[in-house]
Amino acid sequence: MDKLVIEGGSPLSGTIRIHGAKNAALPILAASLLAEGNVRLSNVPHLLDIEVMLNILSRLGSKCKHELETVTVDTSSTNSFHVPEDLMKQMRSSIFLMGPLLARFGEVTIYQPGGCAIGERKIDLHLQGLQALGAEIEESDQKIHCRASRLIGADIHLDFASVGATENIMMAAATAKGTTVLSNAAREPEIQDLQHFLNKMGANIIGAGTDTITIQGVERLEACDYEIIPDRIVAGTVMIAAAATRGSVTMTRCNPSHLNSLIHVLKRAGVQTSICNDIMNISCMGRPKAVERIVTSPYPSFPTDLQSQVMVLLSLADGFSVMKETVFEGRFKHVEELSRMGADISTDLNCAFIRGVQRIYGATVEATDLRAGAALVIAGLAAQGTTVVEQIHHIDRGYDRIENMFQGLGAKIIRQSPVPKPLDLAN
C-alpha cells in the first residue's frame, strides 16, 4: 500500500485550482445511461471512485474514455442491467445505477454497496422511492432485483433528506409517465448539478436546492456535453489546511456560495476570507480561536464531510470546542489517530470535546476513511516533525493526488510506494 510522508510546520502559500466534484460526477455518470449516445463530461477528476464507476459502466457494455479531465461515455452499446457484485462492493455510489438502469431496461440487479465504514448507511429510502414509482423489488441475501414494465410518477416523501435517494428517484422519474413530486428532498449543490445535467438532456425538473423537487416525466432523453461543478469538500479541505498551517492560499474555480457554513465557522475561529466571484483567499496569521459548538447536518448546514478536517483546526485553537456529529455515527475514528499526534480530544456518543493545544507532533497514523484521511494530512502539514499517513487508498477515492495538490502550495509531502521484493530464484 502507498503511504504519504509529510514534513510539517510550514505555512501553505500560493494559488490552487479546485478540481471537479466527485459527488456530482458519480450520479451524473450514472445518469448518462438514461440516453443512448455520447455523453461528454468535463472537469472530471482522476479518482478511485470515478475509476470504479467507469469500470462498472464498461462492464455494462458502455464505452468509456477518461483523458485529462474529460470523460466520454458512449451508452449506445450498453446491454446489461446487472451491476457486477465485485465492483459494487468497492463503492457505495454504485447504488446510483439503480434508477437509470431500471428506467432504461425495465429491470436492474444490484448488490449491497460498499464504501467507507463511517456508520450505518441503509438503502431503504432508495428502494421505497422506486417502489412508489411502481417497481417490484425482490431481495435475497445480498442481491436486490427491481422490475417495472413502466415507471409511473408519484408523490414521494423521504423520511430523511437522503442525498443518494433524492438523486436516484430524480433519475428514475425523469422518464416516468406523469409527474413525480419529491418532498423532504436533500438540497445539496450536487443535486442541483444533477438537475441541470438531466434538464440539458431534455428532462423537465424543477426545485433542486429546495426541499421539494417536481419531475415531469418525458418520453426520451438525449446525450449532451456538460461541465461538473467544483468540489466544495476539496475546497473546504484546502481552506482548513491553509488555516491550520497559518498560511495564505488563493483558490480559483471554486464556488464560495457552496461553502457558506464553513466560511462562517472559520470566521468564528479568526480566519480571514475574501471572495471575488469564483476566487477565494484564506489566511490565518495567528493561532485560531476555539469555536464553542459545531453541529453537522445536511446542507446548507455544516457538512459531515468536513467535520474531521475542522477538528484538526480546533485541536490547535486557543480554547475549548465541541463538535456534534448527527449524520454518521461512526465518524470519529480519526480521533484516536489525532491523539497519537498530541491532540487533546475526548468523545461521548456523537460529541467530541476538543481542548486546543499549542502544537501537535508528527506520528505514523492510519486513514480509516476518505475524510479522516484528509484530516490526517492536514494534521501532518500543521505538525512539528514527520508524519506518515498509511492506508491512503481511502484518500485517493476523493482527492486527485492530494500530495500534488499540497506540493503546489509549498508543502513537503511525498507519496511512497512499497518496493517490490526481489524474486527468490534459489527456489
Side-chain angles (χ1 to χ4, degrees), residues 384-404:
Q384 290 191 355
T386 303
T387 297
V388 177
V389 183
E390 299 180 332
Q391 300 295 324
I392 63 171
H393 61 282
H394 290 297
I395 302 173
D396 291 338
R397 290 185 47 237
Y399 296 85
D400 191 347
R401 284 282 172 172
I402 197 169
E403 69 276 15
N404 292 349

Side-chain angles (χ1 to χ4, degrees), residues 66-381:
H66 194 176
E67 293 180 340
L68 299 177
E69 293 185 334
T70 299
V71 167
T72 304
V73 181
D74 182 357
T75 63
S76 57
S77 57
T78 307
N79 55 16
S80 175
F81 53 80
H82 190 127
V83 182
E85 183 177 12
D86 59 322
L87 294 177
M88 279 215 73
K89 295 295 184 184
Q90 294 181 35
M91 181 183 66
R92 179 174 174 79
S93 296
S94 53
I95 195 70
F96 290 133
L97 292 156
M98 287 185 70
L101 287 172
L102 181 62
R104 177 162 173 178
F105 292 103
E107 55 185 320
V108 58
T109 300
I110 66 161
Y111 300 84
Q112 288 287 347
C116 282
I118 55 176
E120 193 172 29
R121 308 169 84 185
K122 293 182 178 179
I123 64 170
D124 296 10
L125 295 179
H126 299 253
L127 300 179
Q128 290 168 12
L130 296 179
Q131 279 181 315
L133 294 172
E136 298 176 2
I137 297 174
E138 299 174 6
E139 296 184 62
S140 60
D141 196 20
Q142 294 289 302
K143 187 175 180 180
I144 302 170
H145 184 75
C146 303
R147 181 185 294 107
S149 56
R150 180 70 196 270
L151 294 173
I152 306 295
D155 290 346
I156 302 172
H157 178 83
L158 293 177
D159 293 333
F160 173 77
S162 162
V163 174
T166 297
E167 293 174 328
N168 234 335
I169 293 166
M170 286 172 64
M171 290 185 281
T175 55
K177 183 179 180 181
T179 302
T180 298
V181 178
L182 179 59
S183 58
N184 197 32
R187 300 165 59 186
E188 273 70 4
E190 294 78 16
I191 291 170
Q192 298 175 53
D193 210 32
L194 177 61
Q195 173 182 284
H196 295 154
F197 173 70
L198 291 170
N199 284 345
K200 192 168 184 184
M201 294 173 79
N204 185 357
I205 306 173
I206 60 172
T210 74
D211 61 3
T212 302
I213 299 174
T214 303
I215 307 112
Q216 179 66 51
V218 298
E219 285 293 327
R220 181 181 175 84
L221 297 178
E222 302 289 342
C224 69
D225 294 353
Y226 191 77
E227 181 176 348
I228 303 297
I229 58 171
D231 196 310
R232 62 192 172 100
I233 305 302
V234 170
T237 299
V238 172
M239 293 168 69
I240 296 164
T245 61
R246 304 188 189 182
S248 179
V249 170
T250 298
M251 301 188 308
T252 65
R253 284 187 68 179
C254 63
N255 191 326
S257 67
H258 294 167
L259 294 157
N260 284 335
S261 62
L262 174 61
I263 292 170
H264 178 64
V265 165
L266 292 180
K267 284 183 177 179
R268 289 162 65 193
V271 179
Q272 290 76 48
T273 60
S274 61
I275 298 168
C276 181
N277 299 322
D278 66 345
I279 299 172
M280 185 185 306
N281 178 264
I282 309 92
S283 60
C284 184
M285 297 300 105
R287 188 180 181 190
K289 296 181 291 187
V291 179
E292 183 178 339
R293 182 178 173 86
I294 303 173
V295 180
T296 67
S297 194
Y299 189 87
S301 298
F302 191 85
T304 180
D305 279 353
L306 288 174
Q307 174 255 106
S308 55
Q309 297 95 307
V310 162
M311 198 177 292
V312 176
L313 181 67
L314 299 179
S315 297
L316 293 163
D318 182 11
F320 184 79
S321 307
V322 177
M323 174 73 75
K324 184 175 182 180
E325 172 62 52
T326 70
V327 181
F328 294 121
E329 74 278 6
R331 209 154 205 183
F332 283 157
K333 294 180 180 178
H334 54 281
V335 169
E336 182 178 346
E337 303 303 303
L338 290 176
S339 296
R340 296 178 196 273
M341 302 178 72
D344 185 356
I345 308 171
S346 60
T347 60
D348 182 20
L349 299 177
N350 65 341
C351 286
F353 306 94
I354 308 136
R355 191 176 302 278
V357 297
Q358 287 281 353
R359 58 187 61 85
I360 54 178
Y361 302 90
T364 298
V365 291
E366 181 178 315
T368 55
D369 62 69
L370 167 55
R371 306 307 175 185
L376 295 175
V377 171
I378 295 173
L381 295 171

Side-chain angles (χ1 to χ4, degrees), residues 9-89:
S10 300
L12 295 182
S13 177
T15 300
I16 183 172
R17 182 177 72 85
I18 301 303
H19 66 62
K22 170 183 84 86
N23 289 337
L26 291 171
I28 286 174
L29 282 168
S32 68
L33 292 170
L34 289 166
E36 293 188 35
N38 279 302
V39 172
R40 186 173 179 271
L41 304 175
S42 57
N43 202 26
V44 182
H46 286 266
L47 308 172
L48 282 181
D49 277 9
I50 298 293
E51 183 180 323
V52 172
M53 180 63 83
L54 293 176
N55 285 342
I56 293 174
L57 292 174
S58 296
R59 294 267 286 271
L60 295 174
S62 303
K63 297 173 183 175
C64 306
K65 185 167 59 175
H66 194 176
E67 293 180 340
L68 299 177
E69 293 185 334
T70 299
V71 167
T72 304
V73 181
D74 182 357
T75 63
S76 57
S77 57
T78 307
N79 55 16
S80 175
F81 53 80
H82 190 127
V83 182
E85 183 177 12
D86 59 322
L87 294 177
M88 279 215 73
K89 295 295 184 184

